[in-house]
Amino acid sequence: MKKYSISISITIVILVFLFLIFENTLKGKKVASFIKGVATDVVSKPNNIDTKGDSIATRVLVPDGYKRIQYKPGSFQEYLRHYKLKPYGSKIINYDNSEYFAQHWHEAILEVHVPSNGLQQCADALMRIRSEYLWDQNKKDEIGFNFTSGHYCSWEAYATGFRPKISGNKVTFLKTATSNHTKANFYKYLNLIYMYAGTLSMYHELQKISVSDIQIGDMLVKPGSPGHIEIIVDAIINDKGDRMYLLAQGNTPAQSVCLLKNFEDTTISPWYTFDKNQPVDTPSYYFDEARFIRFK
């Protein structure tokens, strides 16, 4: 008994030490999630992970009694479900190539390039994934987003040479560049979107979805400046109609897009359940309400 008591005491000391280190940089629920996450890693490991899996669908196992909800081949839902992952154990890397301080929040790192300019933050990463899907599906005419001012900026207009002239909340588009439909110019367009669009503009622009109707590709959002946004990347169902979901996020500072663990219910982690009007506590952010939006 004495041996176990010593081990427990050491664990408590470690947790308190970590809390003291990060208490000045983490606030509110974020502190609780950090400490909870460390404790979770000390006590147990999730059993819903295949470390050899190289995509979301092969990395995360389906719990007994559930099956993956089917979507059409070529759909955005299937695109996300089969998104490629970095090898298991890969770290969250910031845009400046430094390591993020919390490396215990995730079960996977998505193969999303993080530019060194620091612009690709939480909402931006999701707009990039959506835009790359549309590009790959040859639906380039559907790529476009509203600025926070409400003005729509499409890839097609940008590719033909139109650029925004911004003065306060007033935006006009003038043809000031030659036509350029290359992939390199496409990423310059996305950098522009990252600068003038974000969580708040997405919330106002996109369709609101009730919890009962959510699907892969829908986004859990707290609108604001700053706010936060995370995206559903897989969905499963059992015979009783109960559903569970996986969440992925970009973050601020701009960093690797990661698949999140569930510290609130480690028995199903990394799967999540959502209830109408109820909060959602994820490792890096506390959402006071389960609000979802959907890309056009």
Side-chain angles (χ1 to χ4, degrees), residues 56-114:
I56 290 172
T58 58
R59 175 72 57 84
V60 184
L61 305 177
V62 177
D64 291 341
Y66 283 81
K67 61 182 179 181
R68 284 188 157 91
I69 298 171
Q70 296 301 304
Y71 297 96
K72 293 181 180 179
S75 64
F76 186 48
Q77 291 81 15
E78 284 296 295
Y79 178 82
L80 290 174
R81 170 176 282 161
H82 296 286
Y83 210 95
K84 290 298 181 182
L85 303 176
K86 293 183 181 296
Y88 186 79
S90 295
K91 295 182 177 181
I92 300 174
I93 304 299
N94 297 322
Y95 71 94
D96 60 0
N97 210 36
S98 64
E99 292 183 8
Y100 190 49
F101 77 88
Q103 296 294 338
H104 65 287
W105 286 352
H106 67 286
E107 288 291 4
I109 301 293
L110 280 65
E111 285 281 8
V112 181
H113 175 69
V114 183

